[in-house]
Amino acid sequence: MCGFFGIYNKSNDSDSSFLDKFFKSEISQLLIHRGPDGCHWYEDNNIKLASVRLKITGRRNDSDMPYHSNSEQNIIGFNGEIYNFRKLANKFSYEIKTDCDTEVVTELIEKFGHNVCNQFEGIFAIANYNKNEKKLSLIRDPIGVKPIYYFQNKDFLIFSSEIKPILFTCKKLGISIVPSYRASIEYISLSKYDHSELTFFEGIYKVQPGMIISQLGNSTFKSIYYDYSYEENKDTFEEVSREFLFKLTESMKIQTQTDLPINVAISGGNDSRIMLSTLAKCGTISNVENSWSYSYQDHLDNDLSNINNITSFYNLKHNIVTLQKNDFINDFDEILLALEQPFPGLPTIAKYNMYKKASIKSNRIFLEGQGGDEIGGGYRYTLGAFVKYSLNEDIDFDFNQFVEQYSLINNLNKNQIYKLIINSQSKLFGLNSSADGTSIINEKFRMSMENIQKKDSFESDYFFNAKSTNEFQKVLDDDLFMNKLQRVLRSCDICSMSFSKELRVPILAPSLVKFARSIIPKHKVHNGLPRGFFMNALKMVENPKIHSSSLVKKHVVDPQREWLFKDLKEFVLSTIDENKLSENLGLEKKQIKLLINDFYNQESTPNNSVLIWQLLCLSKWYELFF
């Protein structure tokens, strides 16, 4: 797991004399947390490419990057892990010399072209420079676990694993970077971010999942290399559950084949439970050095008893890192500088704090159980799409029976279910809603934004097309590739890599995600049970001695609302900057004050703190970066 940075010179006439030793040292320092084991540069008239390295596989120095192919034709900057690189080397009769995945990546790309990345099982971001063609290609993994950002003008294309090196380089070039109006307004009015190529910095974009961006001179080419298409799986519920469990076990096995100790970040939820159960099944749970979770000061977390039961059963050395309210205040600047853009709330701060504490005593590899809800339809706001699809397409669907089953399993009365179905229809049209299907923006705020939104088109020009086969899967794919999961993966990458930890997400192996997407809707919401095939697989693999907690998704509530409303009120009010928000969003200052007053002039803790969090996060971001 590493990081890279580069400048591609579009024309030999462009002046890159600013790339002196001081500049290179500064770039190295900005990325060294991603690769503390060394930084090396490759330079010619067309490109300057730096790569920092965190040694995981092939830990000899002959695997250092930028890595040169045997022919010296291709130079690679690589961030990530290809878990099946030995299998691929055998398949293509290539003899590995360094015992490193980067070597196999480089040689296979040289021999077969970039479409060979379609066969990589792993998490990766690749910068590939072909010396003969003078062509640069930026390639991102199919799920979007590892990031690549870029900026270009008529002279240069600047790219990096993080945004700060790009900002530093633009400053050296005298290029002014301003906040993206569109990204800010979509964030504050629609609660959308990390859902397209946009970043919060005008002119700085991200390479999207499964995409290749190639630069040859002044010409830019975009393409999708990964085949996201699939045929719907017609197997029975039991068959798809078993096949999913088999594929997940294989993913766990291949991702834990290492001679380094493993750490797991867990909750008491079902993703963590199935991760530990499959680790036990494939015999690698003995490699787990530590398990980790986070909690919050003065907050009763019902997950802790489940966590204690699970970790005790597997005899894990468990560490609970508690986020203190003062940590929120004292570390907020540090965390936002690390995250570089607005991020998903209090759990991200707690996770950053956990990895910060873990850096003192743990090794380099972490596993997390991200993705189960996104691939299986675990969120309640997907219910409207499921019911609409089932009424139109499933001749065996009995609506009244389904409501009875969903009511019993999810402990909701029928009126609550009807309201949830109606409210969650908004997801079919890409509108914003919270996890219970209700609007997260009040009517007063919506009306205040109406005229501002007319200044710009909010038709998102997504380059990515997941080729979903039905309306229900389209809603899940929106979470997977364009919205919810993408923001979580960005925060996970930064939180772990800030402290030189490689984070692996076995549930999100590309082949596993593709298989899950092929499962028909009635096996995902099975007889009223959300992500039914997933929960059935968990039931198959989990030891009965710890199989005591509910299979239904627990909606764990963090104390963000209470903290912002009470203990952190003074910090929030002193941080929210009406002037900056007005300047960058077009809102009148009195409108912003009304929104803040609406939150704080309530007798009891408000139901939703999303808008206050957004105003807080944007204000501090403007302060730190501009």
Side-chain angles (χ1 to χ4, degrees), residues 445-587:
F445 183 62
R446 186 192 66 77
M447 293 178 66
S448 72
M449 298 300 293
E450 199 170 75
N451 291 329
I452 295 172
Q453 291 185 17
K454 292 177 182 177
K455 294 180 181 179
D456 200 355
S457 168
F458 292 95
E459 293 291 328
S460 294
D461 52 348
Y462 302 133
F463 185 80
F464 174 78
N465 178 8
K467 301 178 181 177
S468 317
T469 60
N470 59 70
E471 288 179 320
F472 180 59
Q473 188 58 48
K474 286 180 181 178
V475 171
L476 303 192
D477 284 343
D478 182 72
D479 273 350
L480 265 170
F481 300 112
M482 301 176 199
N483 211 345
K484 195 179 189 85
L485 185 65
Q486 293 304 308
R487 69 183 68 160
V488 171
L489 291 176
R490 170 167 67 89
S491 64
C492 286
D493 172 76
I494 291 292
C495 288
S496 57
M497 292 303 292
S498 290
F499 304 101
S500 306
K501 305 301 176 191
E502 177 190 303
L503 179 59
R504 300 179 177 183
V505 281
I507 295 174
L508 291 172
S511 60
L512 192 60
V513 172
K514 192 169 184 176
F515 172 76
R517 291 176 68 233
S518 76
I519 297 172
I520 58 178
K522 71 177 181 181
H523 293 337
K524 290 177 179 172
V525 185
H526 182 72
N527 294 337
L529 178 64
R531 58 174 181 172
F533 73 90
F534 185 104
M535 307 314 300
N536 197 37
L538 173 59
K539 187 177 179 180
M540 291 174 177
V541 74
E542 191 168 52
N543 190 296
K545 293 181 179 179
I546 55 172
H547 186 62
S548 56
S549 54
S550 171
L551 288 179
V552 179
K553 176 178 173 59
K554 293 173 58 181
H555 297 274
V556 179
V557 179
D558 61 67
Q560 177 172 297
R561 288 177 297 165
E562 290 81 359
W563 284 21
L564 295 183
F565 185 66
K566 298 175 182 177
D567 303 84
L568 302 179
K569 178 179 178 180
E570 184 178 339
F571 173 77
V572 171
L573 293 178
S574 64
T575 301
I576 292 179
D577 187 332
E578 291 96 341
N579 292 321
K580 286 284 187 184
L581 291 169
S582 175
E583 175 187 338
N584 289 285
L585 296 174
L587 276 172

Side-chain angles (χ1 to χ4, degrees), residues 68-94:
H68 295 239
S69 65
N70 292 330
S71 69
E72 296 288 331
Q73 178 180 335
N74 281 275
I75 296 95
I76 291 280
F78 180 73
N79 171 26
E81 292 288 333
I82 307 300
Y83 308 119
N84 65 336
F85 77 95
R86 292 186 178 88
K87 184 177 179 180
L88 289 173
N90 290 333
K91 176 180 178 179
F92 295 109
S93 301
Y94 177 77

Side-chain angles (χ1 to χ4, degrees), residues 252 265-266 271-272 275 367-372 504-507 531:
M252 286 291 179
I266 63 173
D271 291 353
S272 294
M275 182 171 66
L367 302 181
E368 278 198 28
Q370 300 290 352
R504 300 179 177 183
V505 281
I507 295 174
R531 58 174 181 172

Side-chain angles (χ1 to χ4, degrees), residues 21-32:
K21 290 183 179 180
F22 174 75
F23 173 86
K24 293 177 185 177
S25 175
E26 287 288 306
I27 292 295
S28 299
Q29 287 305 307
L30 288 171
L31 286 175
I32 199 66

Side-chain angles (χ1 to χ4, degrees), residues 259-298:
D259 56 357
L260 293 177
I262 296 168
N263 294 262
V264 291
I266 63 173
S267 68
N270 298 318
D271 291 353
S272 294
R273 289 165 58 194
I274 202 168
M275 182 171 66
L276 291 175
S277 295
T278 50
L279 280 174
K281 181 179 179 180
C282 63
T284 56
I285 199 165
S286 58
N287 294 344
V288 176
E289 180 183 57
N290 286 284
S291 59
W292 298 83
S293 59
Y294 54 78
S295 63
Y296 304 94
Q297 177 186 357
D298 302 330

Side-chain angles (χ1 to χ4, degrees), residues 416-432:
Q416 288 174 312
I417 296 173
Y418 297 146
K419 183 178 179 181
L420 181 59
I421 292 171
I422 293 170
N423 288 337
S424 61
Q425 290 289 325
S426 64
K427 291 296 290 184
L428 289 169
F429 306 103
L431 302 177
N432 55 301

Side-chain angles (χ1 to χ4, degrees), residues 169-180:
T169 306
C170 286
K171 186 176 181 180
K172 291 282 286 186
L173 288 167
I175 298 169
S176 178
I177 300 293
V178 298
S180 167

